[in-house]
Amino acid sequence: MENMAIFDSPGKGRGLKATKEFWAGDVIFSEPSLAAVVFDSLAERICHSCFRRQEKLQKCSQCKFAHYCDRTCQRAGWAEHKQECGAIKAYGKAPNENIRLVARLMWRLDKEGSVVSDMQLITVEELEDHVADMQEDEIKELKVDIHNFLDYWPRNSKQHTIDDISHIFGVINCNGFTVSDQRGLQAVGVGLFPNLCLVNHNCWPNCTVILNHGKIELRSLGKIAEGEELTVAYVDFLNLSEERRRLLKTQYFFDCQCDYCKNGTKDDLKLAGREVDGVKPSEQQVKEATDYCFQKLETMDKARLDGDYHQVVKICRDVIDRTEPVLADTHIYLLRMWSTLSEVQAYLQYFNDAAEYSRKMVEGYMKLYHPNNAALGMAAMRAGVNHWQAGLIEVGHGMVCKAYAILLVTHGPTHPITKDLEAMRVQTEMELRMFKQNEYVYHSMRDAALQNKPMTMMHEPKGVEEGIKNLFHRRK
């Protein structure tokens, strides 16, 4: 932690600044969680110790709630689960994820004190809870959680005041970090990482956060000068500046004053019309196409969640046919349609269509996102796989290489998804050489390789996130 220092950030309160120069891909710090829990909805599908998704998990024989990969994971998670196990048995059921996380935090702090390691820069007591800033409905939810927590909390554990309990609920409400699965493709839980809470927001940040082998890593996206503030994006830059400000105000209780918000940077691109040979559509045409896209998004999302994928394809195709001639390739609603259609078509194994729309999505993203944005890297990876599946090896290899270069910075060489990409890069490079030497031999071998499907991202669409869009977990 000698590479950074706490300082008073103008207009933001406490922040972290670099005490040395960093370059793209440097790990500024890594930090284990004080406590972490699996989401309620995934409690039976994710290991409660290592947060891996497994087909078959072993259930805790005592509480019947916690699930583990095997005995090794169960033993590794016992220190955290021991008191929780007894509390769940006594309570009769597992409470919600917020209550479980607060309880795990309090058991650990009661046992080890407010500072659990030499690396910890701030205590939970010192973190902001923003309880005073909550809306009326949030206060009602908080009171319900506190009431249920008191019923759940064992009588033989150390007792705490309502104010102390309320503080920790507030802390995790605005500082709980979303924990992803081992490949970084889906949010599976929430944890608290105190040092990360000190890193302030910027819509165009100089750092990114990734979970790697059980710890979060703060990684530099580019050159950071000594004395420069370290920042991350709490919300996705693909939102318009007005929407980002609204999300930041309602979820994190501050008004963003970054240059990208104040100047509305790239907002024009995100709602732009398509220019062809110097001719632009009228403002009215762009508005009508934008409104039509927006109206169809909710219908499309519902069909996707219902698993009606052919209906998703029908909606997306209708919207794209009507609006693609009018809207620019950076228009955020058109990008949503391309993204969803490419994902669903890949799942339905219409690989040529999936490749086309994922390529368009990446080209639009490249004009909007930071060159080392993780969402751009994940989109390029998906496009690379889609092109490979379609037999378009030249574009596929290029996309895989682009994704690999970005994820080397954002995830690092040891992350499982980067290792997957390295294997893809080697394979597509070999196939590209074969393609250039003899196309017939290449296609023959590709057909055989497809039977084994060595590369795939054809997960069921409703179960895959496009990347973790919001840095911190907020209960909706």
Short mmCIF file of all heavy atoms in Angstrom, two decimals, residues 328-382:
data_model
loop_
_atom_site.label_atom_id
_atom_site.label_comp_id
_atom_site.label_asym_id
_atom_site.label_seq_id
_atom_site.Cartn_x
_atom_site.Cartn_y
_atom_site.Cartn_z
N ALA A 328 -26.80 6.46 -36.06
CA ALA A 328 -25.37 6.22 -36.18
C ALA A 328 -24.97 4.93 -35.47
O ALA A 328 -25.69 4.44 -34.60
CB ALA A 328 -24.59 7.40 -35.60
N ASP A 329 -23.80 4.41 -35.81
CA ASP A 329 -23.34 3.15 -35.18
C ASP A 329 -22.89 3.35 -33.74
O ASP A 329 -22.50 2.39 -33.08
CB ASP A 329 -22.22 2.50 -36.01
CG ASP A 329 -20.96 3.34 -36.07
OD1 ASP A 329 -20.97 4.50 -35.59
OD2 ASP A 329 -19.95 2.84 -36.61
N THR A 330 -22.97 4.59 -33.26
CA THR A 330 -22.65 4.88 -31.86
C THR A 330 -23.91 5.14 -31.03
O THR A 330 -23.82 5.44 -29.84
CB THR A 330 -21.76 6.13 -31.76
OG1 THR A 330 -22.39 7.21 -32.47
CG2 THR A 330 -20.38 5.87 -32.35
N HIS A 331 -25.08 5.05 -31.66
CA HIS A 331 -26.34 5.31 -30.94
C HIS A 331 -26.55 4.22 -29.90
O HIS A 331 -26.58 3.04 -30.22
CB HIS A 331 -27.51 5.34 -31.92
CG HIS A 331 -28.75 5.95 -31.36
ND1 HIS A 331 -29.52 5.33 -30.39
CD2 HIS A 331 -29.36 7.15 -31.61
CE1 HIS A 331 -30.54 6.10 -30.08
NE2 HIS A 331 -30.48 7.21 -30.81
N ILE A 332 -26.74 4.60 -28.64
CA ILE A 332 -26.73 3.63 -27.56
C ILE A 332 -27.88 2.64 -27.62
O ILE A 332 -27.74 1.49 -27.20
CB ILE A 332 -26.67 4.32 -26.18
CG1 ILE A 332 -27.79 5.36 -26.02
CG2 ILE A 332 -25.32 4.94 -25.95
CD1 ILE A 332 -27.85 6.00 -24.64
N TYR A 333 -29.04 3.05 -28.14
CA TYR A 333 -30.17 2.12 -28.23
C TYR A 333 -29.95 1.11 -29.36
O TYR A 333 -30.30 -0.07 -29.22
CB TYR A 333 -31.49 2.87 -28.44
CG TYR A 333 -31.85 3.80 -27.32
CD1 TYR A 333 -32.70 4.89 -27.52
CD2 TYR A 333 -31.34 3.60 -26.03
CE1 TYR A 333 -33.04 5.75 -26.48
CE2 TYR A 333 -31.68 4.47 -24.99
CZ TYR A 333 -32.52 5.54 -25.23
OH TYR A 333 -32.86 6.39 -24.19
N LEU A 334 -29.38 1.57 -30.47
CA LEU A 334 -29.06 0.65 -31.56
C LEU A 334 -27.98 -0.33 -31.12
O LEU A 334 -28.03 -1.53 -31.45
CB LEU A 334 -28.61 1.44 -32.79
CG LEU A 334 -28.38 0.64 -34.08
CD1 LEU A 334 -29.65 -0.11 -34.49
CD2 LEU A 334 -27.93 1.57 -35.21
N LEU A 335 -27.01 0.15 -30.34
CA LEU A 335 -25.97 -0.74 -29.80
C LEU A 335 -26.58 -1.82 -28.91
O LEU A 335 -26.14 -2.97 -28.93
CB LEU A 335 -24.94 0.08 -29.01
CG LEU A 335 -23.94 0.88 -29.83
CD1 LEU A 335 -23.16 1.84 -28.93
CD2 LEU A 335 -22.98 -0.03 -30.57
N ARG A 336 -27.60 -1.44 -28.13
CA ARG A 336 -28.28 -2.43 -27.28
C ARG A 336 -28.92 -3.52 -28.12
O ARG A 336 -28.88 -4.71 -27.79
CB ARG A 336 -29.36 -1.74 -26.44
CG ARG A 336 -28.87 -1.07 -25.17
CD ARG A 336 -28.76 -2.03 -23.98
NE ARG A 336 -29.99 -2.76 -23.72
CZ ARG A 336 -31.03 -2.28 -23.02
NH1 ARG A 336 -30.99 -1.06 -22.53
NH2 ARG A 336 -32.09 -3.04 -22.80
N MET A 337 -29.55 -3.12 -29.22
CA MET A 337 -30.20 -4.08 -30.11
C MET A 337 -29.18 -5.00 -30.75
O MET A 337 -29.36 -6.22 -30.82
CB MET A 337 -31.01 -3.35 -31.19
CG MET A 337 -32.24 -2.63 -30.65
SD MET A 337 -33.48 -3.82 -30.00
CE MET A 337 -34.65 -2.67 -29.25
N TRP A 338 -28.08 -4.45 -31.25
CA TRP A 338 -27.03 -5.26 -31.86
C TRP A 338 -26.45 -6.24 -30.85
O TRP A 338 -26.21 -7.41 -31.15
CB TRP A 338 -25.91 -4.36 -32.39
CG TRP A 338 -26.23 -3.65 -33.66
CD1 TRP A 338 -27.21 -3.97 -34.57
CD2 TRP A 338 -25.57 -2.49 -34.18
NE1 TRP A 338 -27.19 -3.08 -35.61
CE2 TRP A 338 -26.20 -2.16 -35.40
CE3 TRP A 338 -24.52 -1.70 -33.73
CZ2 TRP A 338 -25.79 -1.07 -36.19
CZ3 TRP A 338 -24.10 -0.62 -34.50
CH2 TRP A 338 -24.74 -0.31 -35.72
N SER A 339 -26.21 -5.75 -29.65
CA SER A 339 -25.61 -6.59 -28.61
C SER A 339 -26.52 -7.77 -28.28
O SER A 339 -26.07 -8.93 -28.24
CB SER A 339 -25.35 -5.75 -27.35
OG SER A 339 -24.91 -6.57 -26.29
N THR A 340 -27.81 -7.48 -28.04
CA THR A 340 -28.75 -8.54 -27.69
C THR A 340 -28.93 -9.52 -28.84
O THR A 340 -28.92 -10.74 -28.64
CB THR A 340 -30.10 -7.93 -27.30
OG1 THR A 340 -29.92 -7.04 -26.19
CG2 THR A 340 -31.10 -9.02 -26.92
N LEU A 341 -29.07 -9.00 -30.06
CA LEU A 341 -29.30 -9.87 -31.20
C LEU A 341 -28.10 -10.78 -31.45
O LEU A 341 -28.25 -11.98 -31.72
CB LEU A 341 -29.60 -9.04 -32.45
CG LEU A 341 -29.99 -9.83 -33.70
CD1 LEU A 341 -31.16 -10.77 -33.42
CD2 LEU A 341 -30.34 -8.88 -34.85
N SER A 342 -26.88 -10.25 -31.33
CA SER A 342 -25.69 -11.07 -31.54
C SER A 342 -25.59 -12.17 -30.49
O SER A 342 -25.24 -13.32 -30.79
CB SER A 342 -24.43 -10.21 -31.52
OG SER A 342 -24.18 -9.67 -30.23
N GLU A 343 -25.94 -11.85 -29.26
CA GLU A 343 -25.86 -12.83 -28.17
C GLU A 343 -26.89 -13.95 -28.36
O GLU A 343 -26.57 -15.14 -28.23
CB GLU A 343 -26.10 -12.12 -26.84
CG GLU A 343 -25.92 -12.99 -25.63
CD GLU A 343 -26.20 -12.23 -24.34
OE1 GLU A 343 -26.21 -10.99 -24.36
OE2 GLU A 343 -26.43 -12.89 -23.32
N VAL A 344 -28.12 -13.56 -28.70
CA VAL A 344 -29.18 -14.55 -28.88
C VAL A 344 -28.93 -15.40 -30.13
O VAL A 344 -29.12 -16.62 -30.11
CB VAL A 344 -30.56 -13.86 -28.95
CG1 VAL A 344 -31.64 -14.84 -29.37
CG2 VAL A 344 -30.91 -13.24 -27.61
N GLN A 345 -28.49 -14.78 -31.22
CA GLN A 345 -28.20 -15.54 -32.43
C GLN A 345 -27.06 -16.53 -32.23
O GLN A 345 -27.08 -17.63 -32.78
CB GLN A 345 -27.88 -14.58 -33.59
CG GLN A 345 -29.05 -13.73 -34.07
CD GLN A 345 -30.11 -14.54 -34.81
OE1 GLN A 345 -30.67 -15.50 -34.28
NE2 GLN A 345 -30.39 -14.16 -36.04
N ALA A 346 -26.07 -16.16 -31.43
CA ALA A 346 -25.00 -17.10 -31.12
C ALA A 346 -25.55 -18.29 -30.34
O ALA A 346 -25.17 -19.44 -30.59
CB ALA A 346 -23.89 -16.40 -30.32
N TYR A 347 -26.43 -18.01 -29.39
CA TYR A 347 -27.04 -19.08 -28.60
C TYR A 347 -27.88 -20.01 -29.47
O TYR A 347 -27.88 -21.23 -29.29
CB TYR A 347 -27.90 -18.48 -27.49
CG TYR A 347 -28.59 -19.51 -26.64
CD1 TYR A 347 -27.86 -20.31 -25.77
CD2 TYR A 347 -29.97 -19.69 -26.71
CE1 TYR A 347 -28.49 -21.27 -24.98
CE2 TYR A 347 -30.60 -20.64 -25.92
CZ TYR A 347 -29.86 -21.43 -25.07
OH TYR A 347 -30.47 -22.38 -24.29
N LEU A 348 -28.58 -19.41 -30.46
CA LEU A 348 -29.39 -20.20 -31.38
C LEU A 348 -28.56 -20.81 -32.51
O LEU A 348 -29.10 -21.50 -33.37
CB LEU A 348 -30.51 -19.33 -31.96
CG LEU A 348 -31.53 -18.78 -30.96
CD1 LEU A 348 -32.51 -17.83 -31.66
CD2 LEU A 348 -32.30 -19.91 -30.28
N GLN A 349 -27.24 -20.52 -32.50
CA GLN A 349 -26.27 -21.06 -33.45
C GLN A 349 -26.46 -20.53 -34.88
O GLN A 349 -26.12 -21.20 -35.85
CB GLN A 349 -26.27 -22.59 -33.44
CG GLN A 349 -25.93 -23.16 -32.06
CD GLN A 349 -25.70 -24.65 -32.05
OE1 GLN A 349 -25.17 -25.20 -33.02
NE2 GLN A 349 -26.10 -25.31 -30.98
N TYR A 350 -26.94 -19.29 -34.98
CA TYR A 350 -26.92 -18.58 -36.26
C TYR A 350 -25.66 -17.69 -36.25
O TYR A 350 -25.72 -16.49 -35.99
CB TYR A 350 -28.19 -17.74 -36.43
CG TYR A 350 -29.45 -18.56 -36.53
CD1 TYR A 350 -30.38 -18.58 -35.49
CD2 TYR A 350 -29.71 -19.33 -37.66
CE1 TYR A 350 -31.54 -19.33 -35.58
CE2 TYR A 350 -30.86 -20.11 -37.75
CZ TYR A 350 -31.77 -20.11 -36.71
OH TYR A 350 -32.92 -20.86 -36.80
N PHE A 351 -24.53 -18.33 -36.53
CA PHE A 351 -23.25 -17.69 -36.25
C PHE A 351 -22.92 -16.53 -37.19
O PHE A 351 -22.26 -15.58 -36.78
CB PHE A 351 -22.13 -18.74 -36.28
CG PHE A 351 -22.30 -19.80 -35.23
CD1 PHE A 351 -22.39 -21.14 -35.59
CD2 PHE A 351 -22.39 -19.46 -33.89
CE1 PHE A 351 -22.55 -22.12 -34.62
CE2 PHE A 351 -22.56 -20.43 -32.92
CZ PHE A 351 -22.64 -21.77 -33.29
N ASN A 352 -23.35 -16.60 -38.45
CA ASN A 352 -23.06 -15.50 -39.37
C ASN A 352 -23.75 -14.22 -38.94
O ASN A 352 -23.15 -13.15 -38.95
CB ASN A 352 -23.47 -15.88 -40.80
CG ASN A 352 -22.48 -16.83 -41.46
OD1 ASN A 352 -21.34 -16.46 -41.72
ND2 ASN A 352 -22.90 -18.05 -41.70
N ASP A 353 -25.02 -14.34 -38.53
CA ASP A 353 -25.73 -13.17 -38.02
C ASP A 353 -25.09 -12.66 -36.73
O ASP A 353 -24.92 -11.45 -36.52
CB ASP A 353 -27.20 -13.51 -37.75
CG ASP A 353 -28.02 -13.61 -39.04
OD1 ASP A 353 -27.51 -13.18 -40.09
OD2 ASP A 353 -29.15 -14.10 -38.97
N ALA A 354 -24.75 -13.59 -35.83
CA ALA A 354 -24.12 -13.21 -34.57
C ALA A 354 -22.82 -12.47 -34.82
O ALA A 354 -22.52 -11.46 -34.16
CB ALA A 354 -23.87 -14.45 -33.71
N ALA A 355 -22.04 -12.95 -35.80
CA ALA A 355 -20.77 -12.30 -36.12
C ALA A 355 -20.98 -10.89 -36.65
O ALA A 355 -20.31 -9.94 -36.23
CB ALA A 355 -20.00 -13.14 -37.14
N GLU A 356 -21.94 -10.74 -37.54
CA GLU A 356 -22.19 -9.42 -38.14
C GLU A 356 -22.57 -8.38 -37.09
O GLU A 356 -22.00 -7.27 -37.05
CB GLU A 356 -23.31 -9.52 -39.18
CG GLU A 356 -23.70 -8.18 -39.79
CD GLU A 356 -24.94 -8.25 -40.67
OE1 GLU A 356 -25.47 -9.37 -40.86
OE2 GLU A 356 -25.39 -7.18 -41.14
N TYR A 357 -23.50 -8.72 -36.23
CA TYR A 357 -23.99 -7.74 -35.26
C TYR A 357 -22.99 -7.50 -34.13
O TYR A 357 -22.91 -6.40 -33.61
CB TYR A 357 -25.36 -8.16 -34.73
CG TYR A 357 -26.42 -8.10 -35.80
CD1 TYR A 357 -27.06 -9.26 -36.25
CD2 TYR A 357 -26.76 -6.89 -36.39
CE1 TYR A 357 -28.02 -9.20 -37.26
CE2 TYR A 357 -27.72 -6.83 -37.40
CZ TYR A 357 -28.34 -7.98 -37.83
OH TYR A 357 -29.28 -7.91 -38.82
N SER A 358 -22.23 -8.53 -33.75
CA SER A 358 -21.22 -8.31 -32.71
C SER A 358 -20.08 -7.44 -33.25
O SER A 358 -19.50 -6.64 -32.51
CB SER A 358 -20.68 -9.64 -32.19
OG SER A 358 -20.07 -10.40 -33.22
N ARG A 359 -19.76 -7.57 -34.55
CA ARG A 359 -18.74 -6.70 -35.14
C ARG A 359 -19.20 -5.25 -35.14
O ARG A 359 -18.44 -4.33 -34.79
CB ARG A 359 -18.42 -7.16 -36.57
CG ARG A 359 -17.44 -6.24 -37.31
CD ARG A 359 -17.26 -6.65 -38.76
NE ARG A 359 -18.53 -6.76 -39.47
CZ ARG A 359 -19.23 -5.72 -39.91
NH1 ARG A 359 -18.79 -4.48 -39.70
NH2 ARG A 359 -20.37 -5.89 -40.56
N LYS A 360 -20.47 -5.03 -35.52
CA LYS A 360 -21.00 -3.66 -35.51
C LYS A 360 -20.97 -3.08 -34.09
O LYS A 360 -20.65 -1.90 -33.89
CB LYS A 360 -22.44 -3.66 -36.03
CG LYS A 360 -22.55 -3.92 -37.52
CD LYS A 360 -24.01 -3.89 -37.96
CE LYS A 360 -24.15 -4.08 -39.47
NZ LYS A 360 -25.57 -4.02 -39.91
N MET A 361 -21.30 -3.92 -33.12
CA MET A 361 -21.29 -3.47 -31.72
C MET A 361 -19.90 -3.03 -31.30
O MET A 361 -19.71 -1.96 -30.70
CB MET A 361 -21.78 -4.60 -30.82
CG MET A 361 -21.76 -4.29 -29.33
SD MET A 361 -22.27 -5.71 -28.34
CE MET A 361 -20.93 -6.85 -28.64
N VAL A 362 -18.88 -3.83 -31.64
CA VAL A 362 -17.50 -3.48 -31.27
C VAL A 362 -17.06 -2.19 -31.95
O VAL A 362 -16.43 -1.33 -31.32
CB VAL A 362 -16.54 -4.64 -31.63
CG1 VAL A 362 -15.09 -4.19 -31.48
CG2 VAL A 362 -16.81 -5.85 -30.76
N GLU A 363 -17.42 -2.03 -33.22
CA GLU A 363 -17.03 -0.80 -33.93
C GLU A 363 -17.66 0.43 -33.28
O GLU A 363 -17.02 1.48 -33.20
CB GLU A 363 -17.44 -0.92 -35.40
CG GLU A 363 -16.60 -1.93 -36.18
CD GLU A 363 -17.13 -2.19 -37.58
OE1 GLU A 363 -18.23 -1.68 -37.91
OE2 GLU A 363 -16.47 -2.92 -38.34
N GLY A 364 -18.90 0.30 -32.81
CA GLY A 364 -19.52 1.42 -32.10
C GLY A 364 -18.88 1.67 -30.76
O GLY A 364 -18.61 2.82 -30.39
N TYR A 365 -18.62 0.60 -30.02
CA TYR A 365 -17.98 0.72 -28.71
C TYR A 365 -16.63 1.43 -28.81
O TYR A 365 -16.26 2.22 -27.94
CB TYR A 365 -17.77 -0.65 -28.09
CG TYR A 365 -18.98 -1.26 -27.40
CD1 TYR A 365 -20.24 -0.68 -27.49
CD2 TYR A 365 -18.85 -2.43 -26.65
CE1 TYR A 365 -21.34 -1.24 -26.86
CE2 TYR A 365 -19.95 -3.00 -26.01
CZ TYR A 365 -21.19 -2.41 -26.12
OH TYR A 365 -22.27 -2.97 -25.50
N MET A 366 -15.88 1.11 -29.86
CA MET A 366 -14.54 1.68 -30.01
C MET A 366 -14.57 3.21 -30.12
O MET A 366 -13.60 3.88 -29.77
CB MET A 366 -13.85 1.07 -31.23
CG MET A 366 -13.41 -0.37 -31.04
SD MET A 366 -12.80 -1.15 -32.57
CE MET A 366 -11.37 -0.12 -32.92
N LYS A 367 -15.68 3.75 -30.59
CA LYS A 367 -15.80 5.20 -30.73
C LYS A 367 -16.28 5.87 -29.44
O LYS A 367 -16.25 7.10 -29.34
CB LYS A 367 -16.77 5.53 -31.87
CG LYS A 367 -16.29 5.05 -33.23
CD LYS A 367 -17.35 5.25 -34.30
CE LYS A 367 -16.91 4.66 -35.65
NZ LYS A 367 -17.96 4.80 -36.68
N LEU A 368 -16.74 5.05 -28.48
CA LEU A 368 -17.31 5.61 -27.25
C LEU A 368 -16.47 5.34 -26.02
O LEU A 368 -16.28 6.22 -25.18
CB LEU A 368 -18.72 5.05 -27.04
CG LEU A 368 -19.77 5.41 -28.10
CD1 LEU A 368 -21.08 4.68 -27.81
CD2 LEU A 368 -20.02 6.91 -28.13
N TYR A 369 -15.99 4.12 -25.88
CA TYR A 369 -15.30 3.71 -24.66
C TYR A 369 -13.82 4.10 -24.66
O TYR A 369 -13.21 4.29 -25.71
CB TYR A 369 -15.38 2.20 -24.49
CG TYR A 369 -16.64 1.67 -23.82
CD1 TYR A 369 -17.40 0.67 -24.43
CD2 TYR A 369 -17.06 2.15 -22.58
CE1 TYR A 369 -18.54 0.15 -23.82
CE2 TYR A 369 -18.20 1.63 -21.96
CZ TYR A 369 -18.93 0.64 -22.59
OH TYR A 369 -20.05 0.14 -21.98
N HIS A 370 -13.25 4.16 -23.47
CA HIS A 370 -11.80 4.24 -23.30
C HIS A 370 -11.16 3.05 -24.01
O HIS A 370 -11.71 1.94 -23.98
CB HIS A 370 -11.48 4.20 -21.79
CG HIS A 370 -10.04 4.40 -21.46
ND1 HIS A 370 -9.07 3.45 -21.69
CD2 HIS A 370 -9.40 5.45 -20.87
CE1 HIS A 370 -7.90 3.90 -21.29
NE2 HIS A 370 -8.07 5.12 -20.79
N PRO A 371 -10.01 3.21 -24.67
CA PRO A 371 -9.40 2.11 -25.42
C PRO A 371 -9.14 0.86 -24.59
O PRO A 371 -9.09 -0.25 -25.13
CB PRO A 371 -8.08 2.71 -25.93
CG PRO A 371 -8.31 4.18 -25.94
CD PRO A 371 -9.25 4.46 -24.81
N ASN A 372 -8.98 1.03 -23.27
CA ASN A 372 -8.72 -0.12 -22.40
C ASN A 372 -9.91 -0.44 -21.49
O ASN A 372 -9.73 -0.99 -20.41
CB ASN A 372 -7.47 0.11 -21.55
CG ASN A 372 -6.20 -0.05 -22.36
OD1 ASN A 372 -6.15 -0.81 -23.32
ND2 ASN A 372 -5.16 0.68 -21.98
N ASN A 373 -11.11 -0.13 -21.94
CA ASN A 373 -12.30 -0.44 -21.14
C ASN A 373 -12.58 -1.94 -21.19
O ASN A 373 -12.57 -2.55 -22.26
CB ASN A 373 -13.50 0.34 -21.67
CG ASN A 373 -14.73 0.18 -20.81
OD1 ASN A 373 -15.39 -0.84 -20.83
ND2 ASN A 373 -15.03 1.22 -20.03
N ALA A 374 -12.86 -2.52 -20.02
CA ALA A 374 -13.10 -3.97 -19.95
C ALA A 374 -14.32 -4.39 -20.75
O ALA A 374 -14.34 -5.47 -21.35
CB ALA A 374 -13.25 -4.40 -18.49
N ALA A 375 -15.38 -3.55 -20.79
CA ALA A 375 -16.58 -3.89 -21.57
C ALA A 375 -16.25 -3.99 -23.05
O ALA A 375 -16.79 -4.85 -23.76
CB ALA A 375 -17.67 -2.85 -21.33
N LEU A 376 -15.37 -3.13 -23.54
CA LEU A 376 -14.92 -3.20 -24.93
C LEU A 376 -14.15 -4.48 -25.17
O LEU A 376 -14.34 -5.16 -26.19
CB LEU A 376 -14.05 -1.99 -25.27
CG LEU A 376 -13.36 -2.00 -26.63
CD1 LEU A 376 -14.40 -2.09 -27.76
CD2 LEU A 376 -12.51 -0.73 -26.80
N GLY A 377 -13.28 -4.86 -24.22
CA GLY A 377 -12.52 -6.09 -24.35
C GLY A 377 -13.41 -7.32 -24.39
O GLY A 377 -13.21 -8.23 -25.20
N MET A 378 -14.44 -7.35 -23.52
CA MET A 378 -15.35 -8.49 -23.49
C MET A 378 -16.19 -8.56 -24.76
O MET A 378 -16.47 -9.64 -25.28
CB MET A 378 -16.26 -8.40 -22.27
CG MET A 378 -15.52 -8.44 -20.93
SD MET A 378 -14.61 -9.96 -20.65
CE MET A 378 -15.94 -11.08 -20.24
N ALA A 379 -16.58 -7.40 -25.28
CA ALA A 379 -17.35 -7.37 -26.53
C ALA A 379 -16.50 -7.87 -27.70
O ALA A 379 -16.99 -8.61 -28.56
CB ALA A 379 -17.84 -5.95 -26.80
N ALA A 380 -15.23 -7.47 -27.73
CA ALA A 380 -14.32 -7.94 -28.79
C ALA A 380 -14.11 -9.45 -28.68
O ALA A 380 -14.01 -10.14 -29.70
CB ALA A 380 -13.00 -7.19 -28.71
N MET A 381 -14.04 -9.96 -27.46
CA MET A 381 -13.88 -11.40 -27.28
C MET A 381 -15.11 -12.13 -27.83
O MET A 381 -14.97 -13.13 -28.56
CB MET A 381 -13.69 -11.75 -25.81
CG MET A 381 -13.53 -13.25 -25.56
SD MET A 381 -13.22 -13.67 -23.84
CE MET A 381 -14.82 -13.35 -23.13
N ARG A 382 -16.29 -11.65 -27.50
CA ARG A 382 -17.50 -12.28 -28.00
C ARG A 382 -17.55 -12.24 -29.53
O ARG A 382 -17.90 -13.22 -30.19
CB ARG A 382 -18.74 -11.61 -27.42
CG ARG A 382 -19.99 -12.45 -27.65
CD ARG A 382 -21.28 -11.66 -27.66
NE ARG A 382 -21.48 -10.79 -26.51
CZ ARG A 382 -22.52 -9.95 -26.44
NH1 ARG A 382 -23.40 -9.91 -27.43
NH2 ARG A 382 -22.67 -9.17 -25.41
#
